[in-house]
Amino acid sequence: MSNHKQITGNIGVYHVARELSRVGWNVMLTVRNAKGADMFAISEDESTQRPIQVKSHAARPQDTHLGLLPEKHVTPWWVFVAFAASSEPTCYVISLEEIRARMGRDPGTRTGKPEHERLFWFHRRYYTPGSDLEMTEARNAWHRLGQARPLT
């Protein structure tokens, strides 16, 4: 991974950790570049934990490649950070089910690859502010993860 991509990834992970902490979650980061979740958000009473995958884009988002076997992804929550290098990043809190329902696949028309070699991807328009497919319900929607604090 290039240094620029690693720094962008760090910016996104730490921004998400900050935002989650602000709404009451305890955040534990995992080892960077390890397989699986980038962090765990744990409720104040420790009754709820949310594994989270973070995808950061320094400026305008790019499509997120999900590989040949998207069913191997198991982290239930993903946060896409658009414009991470700016002073006002925008985050999209999206469930793995939503990603699977909207993911696309290389049609093979340009690459000429057989079907078993065509990658799956999640289109950037779902997490680009102002796009025609923007998932506005997911924009900075930390509440989608549930309650960080017990109801009193």
Side-chain angles (χ1 to χ4, degrees):
M1 178 185 292
S2 75
N3 191 38
H4 176 70
K5 286 184 181 181
Q6 188 168 9
I7 289 171
T8 299
N10 286 341
I11 291 169
V13 165
Y14 286 105
H15 178 73
V16 171
R18 175 186 185 270
E19 293 301 311
L20 288 171
S21 297
R22 289 182 63 195
V23 296
W25 292 95
N26 291 305
V27 179
M28 181 176 65
L29 302 180
T30 62
V31 177
R32 295 290 291 140
N33 299 323
K35 185 175 180 175
D38 291 317
M39 66 178 58
F40 287 86
I42 302 160
S43 63
E44 190 174 90
D45 65 359
E46 298 181 6
S47 65
T48 305
Q49 73 173 266
R50 300 284 187 252
I52 299 170
Q53 179 72 46
V54 179
K55 296 294 181 187
S56 304
H57 304 273
R60 188 173 142 242
Q62 298 300 311
D63 296 339
T64 297
H65 294 277
L66 301 172
L68 292 171
L69 302 169
E71 63 274 9
K72 287 193 171 194
H73 293 288
V74 297
T75 305
W77 288 100
W78 294 43
V79 178
F80 295 85
V81 184
F83 305 101
S86 75
S87 62
E88 294 186 32
T90 303
C91 297
Y92 293 84
V93 181
I94 303 175
S95 72
L96 181 58
E97 291 82 21
E98 291 172 313
I99 291 169
R100 287 185 174 147
R102 291 171 172 85
M103 69 184 176
R105 189 171 195 181
D106 172 11
T109 52
R110 289 189 310 203
T111 62
K113 291 182 179 179
E115 187 171 348
H116 69 279
E117 293 180 9
R118 297 180 197 164
L119 294 173
F120 289 86
W121 46 270
F122 189 58
H123 204 287
R124 64 184 167 259
R125 292 187 332 208
Y126 294 121
Y127 49 91
T128 298
S131 80
D132 59 334
L133 294 177
E134 179 188 7
M135 293 178 67
T136 55
E137 71 277 11
R139 186 194 281 198
N140 297 318
W142 306 109
H143 66 275
R144 297 182 98 207
L145 296 172
Q147 291 292 323
R149 295 184 176 103
L151 299 173
T152 55

